[in-house]
C-alpha cells in the first residue's frame, strides 16, 4: 500500500528484497517480498514487530538471514527472518544501549564479515554494535561524534 511506512533489506537466501512495515503505528507489521517484478505480501507465521520511527533492518549474508531491530514501547528487540517467518526476541540490545532515537543505522561490513549497527546519542556518543553469530549484540565501543560538544 502507498501509505505503508517500512524498512527493507535484501534476502540473499531467497534472492528477494524483504520489506517490513505498517501504516505508521507501533505494533504488528506486514512483510512483503520483491522478486524483481512483483511485490507479494507474505503470510509468515509470526508477524514482525515494527516501530515506523525507530526500526532498522539489514541483510546478514554471513548467516543468510535478515535482521530487524525494532523499538516498541521502550523495549528494543531484534528479530530475524529465516525466509519463512520472523523469529522474535533474539539478541536484545543490552540495557543502557541508546536505540530508538531516530539515528540508528545497520549495515553489513564485507571487510570484517559482520553485521554492524550504529546508534547515536544526540550530542554525545555513537555506540557501535556487532551482531554475533550466536544471535546476540556485542558493543564494540562508544565513539565521540565529530564536532559534538560533551556535557560530561
Amino acid at each position: 500500500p502507498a501509505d505503508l511506512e517500512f524498512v527493507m533489506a535484501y534476502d540473499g537466501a531467497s534472492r528477494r528484497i524483504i520489506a517490513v512495515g505498517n501504516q505508521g503505528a507501533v505494533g504488528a507489521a506486514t512483510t512483503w517480498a520483491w522478486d524483481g517484478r512483483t511485490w507479494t505480501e507474505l503470510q509468515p507465521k509470526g508477524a514482525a514487530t515494527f516501530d515506523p520511527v525507530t526500526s532498522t533492518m539489514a541483510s546478514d549474508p554471513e548467516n543468510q538471514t535478515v535482521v530487524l531491530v525494532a523499538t516498541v514501547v521502550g523495549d528494543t528487540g531484534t528479530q530475524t527472518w529465516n525466509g519463512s517467518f520472523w523469529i522474535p526476541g533474539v539478541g536484545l540490545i543490552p540495557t543502557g544501549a541508546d536505540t530508538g532515537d531516530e539515528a540508528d543505522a545497520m549495515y553489513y561490513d564485507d571487510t570484517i564479515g559482520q553485521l554492524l549497527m550504529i546508534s547515536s546519542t544526540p550530542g554525545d556518543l555513537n555506540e557501535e554494535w556487532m551482531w554475533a553469530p550466536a544471535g546476540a549484540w556485542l558493543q564494540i565501543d562508544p565513539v565521540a561524534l565529530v564536532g559534538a560538544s560533551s556535557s560530561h
Side-chain angles (χ1 to χ4, degrees):
D3 60 347
L4 190 71
E5 293 187 39
F6 61 92
V7 292
M8 63 182 166
Y10 180 72
D11 178 16
S14 68
R15 297 175 46 174
R16 300 182 296 182
I17 293 174
I18 303 296
V20 175
N22 60 28
Q23 274 74 33
V26 174
T30 58
T31 302
W32 294 79
W34 172 255
D35 64 6
R37 291 188 201 110
T38 308
W39 282 104
T40 304
E41 184 174 2
L42 304 178
Q43 302 295 325
K45 291 180 183 177
T49 303
F50 182 75
D51 180 337
V53 175
T54 62
S55 292
T56 185
M57 189 165 81
S59 179
D60 180 1
E62 184 72 22
N63 295 301
Q64 294 193 350
T65 189
V66 172
V67 178
L68 169 67
V69 173
T71 302
V72 180
V73 193
D75 181 25
T76 302
T78 302
Q79 301 156 79
T80 56
W81 173 252
N82 72 359
S84 300
F85 58 90
W86 288 99
I87 302 169
V90 296
L92 292 175
I93 303 294
T95 302
D98 180 46
T99 59
D101 58 13
E102 300 183 51
D104 297 333
M106 214 178 349
Y107 65 97
Y108 184 79
D109 187 330
D110 286 329
T111 309
I112 62 172
Q114 295 290 331
L115 187 66
L116 301 174
M117 182 174 68
I118 295 175
S119 176
S120 65
T121 305
D124 285 331
L125 297 174
N126 268 347
E127 294 177 347
E128 190 167 11
W129 300 85
M130 181 173 63
W131 181 242
W137 287 100
L138 303 173
Q139 187 172 11
I140 297 172
D141 72 319
V143 180
L145 291 171
V146 175
S149 61
S150 178
S151 60
H152 302 267

